[in-house]
Amino acid sequence: MKAHALAYHLAENPVHDEYQRLNTYFPDEEVNLVGAISEDIDAWKMFFDGEVNAKGVGIGAILISPTYHHYPATARLRFFCTNNTAEYEACIMGMNMAIDHDVDELLIMGDSDLIIRQAQGECETQDVKLIPYRQHVEELGKQLKSIEFRYIPRCHNELVDALATLASMLPYPGNAHIDPLEIQIRERHGYCNTVETTPNTQPWYHDIKRFLKTQEYPEQASGDQKRTIRRHASGFFLSGDVLYKRTLDLNLLRCVDAEEA
């Protein structure tokens, strides 16, 4: 239903010839950004999200230190949950992480407007299933010196959403141990490490480059080998000391030896 809000808004405001742009500015829209904690100061941040789908229920939370060290956590829930209770479970898991890390000031951000407003005290909790959750969140908040809840769009909460989705879709591992997920940074193609270098050898393009530069052939080259060198050389271009290979679309590819490759 949330995803249909924009479509409903457009349907209720059709475009006519005398159409005038709607004034969608809300004078108090910045109020939810005012709080005791600012993102500019050294405060811990926590993102949370819950996922309920046909395969199961998963929750995710990420605690971020002022030095941008990330502490991710995810869990699969084996009891019945609605979307709202899953969001509360994720929030509680993240708050417990913060308490375990002796956090004093915490900025909590989530994409559930209902949960955030209930935690802020702006919205009453009438659902009997959510009342214990809200009360427990209040009790956990008392263990912190300063706490602030802030709503963020779902597009800014994708990382914990991915964690929650992963937990909901993985089968219950039982006694199996799953190592923490480590994200590596790769700056080279996977095949680059397979290139082997042979010391004290000429590069593969040595004869072609020498021919373009001095019109010379190898000393023991036969007539057929010389013709082959000339034929191959027509597809290369020498600029100073750098050799390029011409492609069919006339681009130039710089030739490199095995060590540089």
Side-chain angles (χ1 to χ4, degrees):
M1 296 301 296
K2 294 180 182 178
H4 295 165
L6 181 58
Y8 292 153
H9 174 78
L10 295 176
E12 293 173 358
N13 296 274
V15 177
H16 300 289
D17 293 338
E18 65 277 6
Y19 173 76
Q20 295 181 354
R21 181 183 297 271
L22 294 175
N23 183 9
T24 57
Y25 172 73
F26 299 94
D28 298 327
E29 63 179 343
E30 296 89 358
V31 170
N32 66 334
L33 300 180
V34 179
I37 301 176
S38 172
E39 291 191 57
D40 298 330
I41 67 174
D42 294 337
W44 287 70
K45 302 178 182 65
M46 190 270 284
F47 296 81
F48 71 93
D49 194 19
E51 175 68 23
V52 179
N53 54 45
K55 292 184 177 291
V57 181
I59 58 175
I62 294 180
L63 188 65
I64 304 177
S65 71
T67 57
Y68 297 99
H69 190 92
H70 290 58
Y71 300 91
T74 184
R76 180 182 176 90
L77 306 183
R78 301 185 65 191
F79 51 86
F80 174 77
C81 273
T82 64
N83 287 324
N84 290 330
T85 56
E87 294 279 356
Y88 262 119
E89 289 283 350
C91 181
I92 291 172
M93 180 176 66
M95 294 180 70
N96 284 325
M97 291 171 56
I99 294 173
D100 292 340
H101 282 80
D102 297 325
V103 174
D104 292 329
E105 295 184 347
L106 182 63
L107 173 60
I108 299 177
M109 289 176 278
D111 57 27
S112 174
D113 185 59
L114 175 65
I115 306 303
I116 296 298
R117 289 186 178 275
Q118 288 182 354
Q120 291 174 333
E122 299 178 359
C123 180
E124 294 185 1
T125 308
Q126 298 181 350
D127 190 339
V128 293
K129 296 187 297 293
L130 299 184
I131 293 177
Y133 281 109
R134 182 184 59 80
Q135 293 174 345
H136 189 54
V137 168
E138 291 179 356
E139 293 297 325
L140 292 176
K142 295 177 182 178
Q143 301 184 43
L144 302 171
K145 292 182 179 179
S146 180
I147 186 172
E148 178 185 348
F149 292 87
R150 184 176 301 176
Y151 170 79
I152 58 174
R154 189 175 182 85
C155 61
H156 295 166
N157 208 33
E158 293 179 341
L159 186 53
V160 286
D161 177 64
L163 290 175
T165 303
L166 177 64
S168 68
M169 301 187 70
L170 284 176
Y172 179 65
N175 295 326
H177 176 74
I178 301 178
D179 289 329
L181 179 64
E182 179 182 357
I183 301 177
Q184 301 178 353
I185 303 299
R186 299 284 181 89
E187 297 182 353
R188 294 183 178 182
H189 300 284
Y191 55 78
C192 289
N193 294 331
T194 64
V195 178
E196 298 181 357
T197 61
T198 303
N200 301 323
T201 58
Q202 298 292 350
W204 60 271
Y205 53 81
H206 173 72
D207 293 337
I208 296 175
K209 183 176 181 180
R210 182 173 64 174
F211 176 79
L212 292 175
K213 195 171 186 178
T214 63
Q215 299 295 310
E216 296 179 355
Y217 301 98
E219 294 182 359
Q220 305 298 328
S222 63
D224 290 340
Q225 291 173 338
K226 292 180 180 179
R227 283 192 294 272
T228 300
I229 292 176
R230 289 196 301 270
R231 185 176 69 253
H232 285 307
S234 64
F236 288 80
F237 170 70
L238 186 63
S239 176
D241 200 46
V242 180
L243 182 66
Y244 296 92
K245 175 73 169 72
R246 290 192 181 95
T247 63
L248 296 178
D249 53 1
L250 302 182
N251 285 323
L252 297 178
L253 307 178
R254 186 168 68 88
C255 301
V256 297
D257 56 21
E259 182 178 0
E260 186 175 2

